[in-house]
Amino acid sequence: MLKSISKGGNKMTLQQLIYLVTAAECGNMTEAAAKLYISQPSLSAAIRNLEEEMGVTAFSRTNKGITVTREGEELLSYARMLLEQSENMKDHFCNSKHQIPKFSVSCQHYSFAVNAFVDVIKTFDADRYNFIMRETQTGEIIDDVANGKSEIGIIFLSEHNEEILSKLIRNNNLIFEELYVAKPHIFIYKHHPLAKKDKITLDDLTQYPYLVYEQGTRNSFYFSEEFISTLDFPKIIQVRDRATLFNLVIGLNGFTVSSGIIDHRLNGPHIIAKPLIADQTMHIGIVKKKNMILSRYAHKYIEALKEHLSIV
């Protein structure tokens, strides 16, 4: 049983890290204390002791609550990583039937990523589990893995974004592992005017709306999920979710550019993929922390990803 650190102590415990992460998630010491079933003064003292030992101020404290500081974000990143490694170690060696399955992944909008996630849940189905899948922006995927919010991320690298994204990945102490190399395709409505063509050129597409996933403050081409520049097209529509994108593909005869990997169960029978004539390749892979011991759920997820990509 882990003991909470006493005032003046100088040995960090995993319990302190749990306190730190819970407080950050709640944004309020009183709420966090209630969630942890301890008194608010005890929680505050434990976190202050941790701050003193690490030499950082993790939170800015006001009457309205707490906010995480910049150095606090870095401390939280390490705390989440240590807690996750602790859970992975217990899961590996104890193999307890009472262990609640937990796994989180952040990814770009790929149907094969969803299918692999379904496989993990089916494999580790239990009375209780906590699985998280975030289909989100490219920059947030890297942030999620770096900050320990997700165990792994799924992105792609290409000739145009590799230098920028690889540097960002390295600077966050992450690594990229390639799983699949795809040629560019477009997704269009099955009754689109171009649907009968065997291959599509960029010139063929200029009169139609180009649908892309919005990337927030990092809305540069380097973070785009589509590896054909929007600068080549006069009509651009940015969206945040898969359903909206495919509804616009159908309703406006729009198109998007991706890997060509499509699942009609998720995307519907009305969307088709057509090869795009372009001298580029899409290197799909996972992002994870360097020297990270992955959970058995992450291993299963990667295995499932490879299976779904191998049948393309």
Side-chain angles (χ1 to χ4, degrees):
M1 184 78 178
L2 292 170
K3 296 181 179 179
S4 299
I5 194 164
S6 61
K7 188 175 181 179
N10 59 359
K11 291 184 179 179
M12 179 187 71
T13 68
L14 291 177
Q15 190 65 63
Q16 280 180 299
L17 302 183
I18 294 172
Y19 290 170
L20 179 77
V21 171
T22 305
E25 291 174 347
C26 292
N28 182 285
M29 286 292 187
T30 302
E31 182 182 338
K35 188 174 183 179
L36 292 162
Y37 301 102
I38 63 172
S39 68
Q40 189 270 329
S42 295
L43 174 62
S44 296
I47 291 178
R48 286 193 183 278
N49 287 337
L50 178 62
E51 289 177 311
E52 291 174 6
E53 183 179 349
M54 296 295 107
V56 303
T57 301
F59 301 118
S60 296
R61 296 162 172 85
T62 67
N63 292 333
K64 295 182 179 180
I66 57 175
T67 56
V68 182
T69 64
R70 181 172 296 182
E71 58 185 358
E73 287 286 1
E74 187 175 7
L75 181 60
L76 278 164
S77 175
Y78 281 101
R80 291 189 181 104
M81 179 180 67
L82 289 171
L83 290 171
E84 186 173 352
Q85 293 291 269
S86 173
E87 287 298 316
N88 291 347
M89 184 173 68
K90 287 191 292 183
D91 183 60
H92 179 79
F93 288 103
C94 299
N95 197 23
S96 173
K97 293 182 179 179
H98 303 292
Q99 193 87 6
I100 299 175
K102 294 181 180 180
F103 173 65
S104 60
V105 58
S106 295
C107 64
Q108 294 173 325
H109 299 76
Y110 300 130
S111 58
F112 60 83
V114 177
N115 289 333
F117 192 74
V118 170
D119 290 346
V120 172
I121 296 176
K122 287 181 176 179
T123 301
F124 298 102
D125 193 13
D127 293 335
R128 297 179 62 194
Y129 54 67
N130 186 1
F131 293 115
I132 302 173
M133 183 170 199
R134 301 181 180 93
E135 280 193 332
T136 187
Q137 299 165 352
T138 303
E140 289 184 357
I141 294 169
I142 296 173
D143 290 343
D144 284 351
V145 180
N147 296 329
K149 291 182 179 179
S150 286
E151 192 169 350
I152 60 176
I154 304 173
I155 63 171
F156 83 91
L157 299 181
S158 70
E159 291 86 344
H160 292 292
N161 70 10
E162 183 174 7
E163 183 177 356
I164 299 298
L165 292 190
S166 292
K167 182 178 180 181
L168 184 61
I169 289 168
R170 289 194 303 270
N171 289 346
N172 280 281
N173 201 32
L174 308 176
I175 58 174
F176 175 83
E177 292 185 0
E178 182 179 296
L179 297 179
Y180 183 78
V181 179
K183 293 290 186 180
H185 287 68
I186 63 165
F187 288 166
I188 56 176
Y189 182 37
K190 68 179 182 179
H191 298 306
H192 192 283
L194 300 176
K196 293 183 179 180
K197 297 195 68 169
D198 294 329
K199 294 184 178 181
I200 311 296
T201 68
L202 294 178
D203 289 340
D204 291 332
L205 297 167
T206 54
Q207 63 180 301
Y208 302 107
Y210 185 15
L211 303 166
V212 300
Y213 286 107
E214 190 264 329
Q215 297 295 325
T217 57
R218 292 160 160 165
N219 212 21
S220 70
F221 177 55
Y222 301 111
F223 290 89
S224 174
E225 288 193 40
E226 302 78 25
F227 53 127
I228 300 298
S229 174
T230 57
L231 297 177
D232 297 327
F233 300 96
K235 300 177 182 179
I236 306 295
I237 300 176
Q238 299 185 37
V239 300
R240 290 296 302 267
D241 64 87
R242 184 204 310 265
T244 300
L245 184 142
F246 285 122
N247 282 335
L248 294 174
V249 165
I250 295 172
L252 295 176
N253 271 335
F255 71 96
T256 191
V257 179
S258 189
S259 63
I261 305 169
I262 192 167
D263 187 325
H264 292 297
R265 291 174 301 174
L266 293 175
N267 301 325
H270 303 296
I271 305 298
I272 60 174
K274 289 287 182 175
L276 178 65
I277 299 175
D279 188 22
Q280 297 184 45
T281 51
M282 185 178 188
H283 300 261
I284 301 169
I286 63 168
V287 175
K288 65 178 183 178
K289 285 190 175 179
K290 190 181 295 183
N291 301 322
M292 181 79 165
I293 301 172
L294 294 178
S295 68
R296 56 177 173 162
Y297 314 110
H299 281 297
K300 174 59 184 177
Y301 185 68
I302 295 170
E303 176 187 318
L305 283 173
K306 292 178 178 177
E307 289 177 0
H308 286 287
L309 289 170
S310 68
I311 61 176
V312 174

